Amino acid sequence: MAGLFVDDRPAAGYARVAVEQGVDVAGDGLTYAVPAGMAGVVVGARVAVPLGRGNKPASGYVVGLRSVEDGPGEGLEPARVKAVLSVDGDGLTLPAELIELAKWVAGYYACPLGMVFASVLPGGVKRGAGLAKKKVVRWKGGGEGGRGEGSEGRREEALREAGLRVTKQVRAVLAAMTGANEDGVELGALLTAAGVRSAGPVERLAEAGVVSIETRVDLRAGLDVAAERVAARLSDRPTPSADQAAAVARIGDALGAFGVHLLRGVTGSGKTEVYLRLIERLLAETEQGAIVLVPEIALTPQTVGRFVARLGQAGEGRASGGVAVLHSGLTPAQRHAQWQRVRRGDARVVVGARSAVFAPMRDVGLIVVDEEHESSYKQDQLPRYHARDVAIKRGQMAGAAVVLGSATPSLESWHHAKSGRYGLFELPRRVPGLNVPRVEVVDLVEERRAQRGIHLISQRLEHELRTTLDKGKQSLVLLNRRGFASWVACPDHRCGWQMACERCDAMMVFHLRGGDASNENGRDVPRGYVRCHHCEAQRMLEQHCPVCGKRTTLFGLGTQRVETELAQKLPGARVERMDRDTMTRPGDYERVLSRFEAGEIDVLLGTQMIAKGLDFPGVRLVGVISADTAIHLPDFRAAERTFQLVSQVAGRAGRGSEPGVVIVQSFDPTVDAIARAVAGDYAGFAEAELATRAEAGLPPWRRMARVVLRDRDQAACHRRAAATADAVQSAIDREAAQQRATMRGPMACAMARLADHHREQVVLLADDAGTLQRVLTSARNHDRLVSDAHTAIDVDPVALL
Ligand code: ADP
Ligand code: ZN
Ligand code: ZN
């Protein structure tokens, strides 16, 4: 294959290229020769290279360079090294700093480098979405060809001499071109102006060398950040409280250097105001930019609007401001346009979800991670990175300040703050004008005794819902479980049959058909179907127990059941349900929220979707149907999650001038996580939970990595798990890390069967990140432990099912 190898052309050096391909491609890149005369092969450049035996062209990023003298590297023969095929235009070049960050992510999270780049670069950018190619016609030869000089007669003469037949159409085209400047005229527009149907006459003029027809690439995709509506309400700059001012001053003074600052502020304490003032200071005092990460679900026009309203005029006063927005709700073309604005330096502030931590900003001075405790910052597929931790690494590499904000910080961050590794700033009070809501607990066990029949809504909550409705105010009702009933079973406990998923270790959940909640009455089983929430398998409801023939019964709770009950208890109230079943189309979420904000909904019922970052002054009441839904999950973070969810949703109440009310229902209100959340005692909860974790040797005291093996065949799954355990244990021994690292497993996962696959796991715990990395790297190098279709390596896992 001529041209693939460089032996016919001298190499100008060698490039290491991370190829975006499946997991089977080499870990940290492949070596290619740079043909002499090929310009632009720099670290961060996007190139095309031949891949595999078939030499199929593939895209990748240059991650390292070597000179000719250095040679291609160990074990490679210069003559056998394939050559780079081409360099992509400048448009996709990444800052060298991002290349370093990607390398760190690949190493730390045990993921092939090429796959990290697949995450770094949004799909729309890769495909060039929104790149409109247009044809432009220009005068050739310094814009002459007869323009401006002399008469039309002389020009036509010259054209005839050049062998061109000057038709009426050619004349019309020339006339239409008369006003054209250096930039030329778009072909379609030119033909319209000349009244000519086909491009033929223009092509003939081009052949005669009078004009040129060029293809130009144009990136257009406006982004309406829907800021105006919110801007009016938020563009004022409130006077900072003493706590806010102290945080702004002290973090502000630390801006020019790396440092992590944890901002713990109760909900409604004005954390966003602190971020805004820090960014304003950064923009005013430096040339640097800021990245603001928020959880995807909180990326509403409301959040974005606050940043655009305040910082829109920052930078160079462009129409849409100095703020770029990056999240999955944008069209690929919009994402591409936003990404390019950042890359070109047009936007000095980026607000985005998880992957915005890889925004192609060149000089980052500040990174904010809002709601840093959110588990959605962890990506659940390759690369399994945690955006908060990547943000900290990026801050360290860039010498930037990192601000982590939350009302309920992760125990990891709290632990670091308490041990002095992070700065700690607290906003213990709500901003002036916002009242602290009154929080009450309803013990559902007692409630069951007092009330006949099964009610998901207690009398106390029902009363407050009515009062709120009568006052013309709004309520939020949380139940973190979809569907109508969480399981279906035989009513005879001696029989014990339960309807389980055929493919998973999970119960089938009953859903009402088409949101029809009207026919749920008395003993009749309503119409609907059952679905597995893990593999989404769907089946008909078993009307009768297949073992003993008794009529099946629905147990447990779900948002649909609450919706039914709300309809019965609050006739006439405008109730809207928000969960993954009702929010199916893009824009659904925003549509419901803006209707809620406009006061068109009285009760907004939903899963954790409604707990995040919403700020609506009309909300008087927050009801938690069951604070217990997560507490018994087989995950060491179950208590932490429960505490966070209850605290976060409670914080949505009383954001207007009137004091709010929060009613928390629970079957076990004495559980520490629930009792402390109700009392608003974060510090107390954290202290107790940290002590429990210390005793059990769990994060944040130790670091964890988890390897999950899956296979349709149980024996094969177990063989792999055993081999993985061997690999990890030998790595611990090889690294002489027995004192600092321990392995658990192989053992069945909490969900031992998922979508027809058996699952086993091996868990590695180490005293520090360095040891964890040494052991993992050793296992990867020595025993080829890699993530593949059967193996998922998860470093610092947040989900343990
Ligand atoms: P958090 O993010 O801590 O929950 P927010 O930043 O959303 O709190 O602030 C809550 C509300 O208080 C916002 O509407 C904000 O504009 C307003 N606010 C912030 N700081 C002040 C202040 N110092 N004085 C008055 N209002 C403020
Ligand atoms: Zn299933
Ligand atoms: Zn039965």
Side-chain angles (χ1 to χ4, degrees), residues 490-492 495-497 545-550:
C490 178
D492 186 344
C495 167
W497 176 85
C545 172
V547 179
C548 72
K550 293 200 179 67

Side-chain angles (χ1 to χ4, degrees), residues 10 29 34 38 58 75 130 195-196 206 235 269 293 350 389 440 483 547 560 611 616 623 658 733 742 744 770:
V34 182
M38 181 179 275
V196 174
S235 58
S269 60
L293 302 183
V350 182
D389 300 334
E440 283 176 40
V547 179
Q560 284 184 325
F616 295 117
E658 220 190 309
D733 297 342
T742 40
R744 295 180 188 171

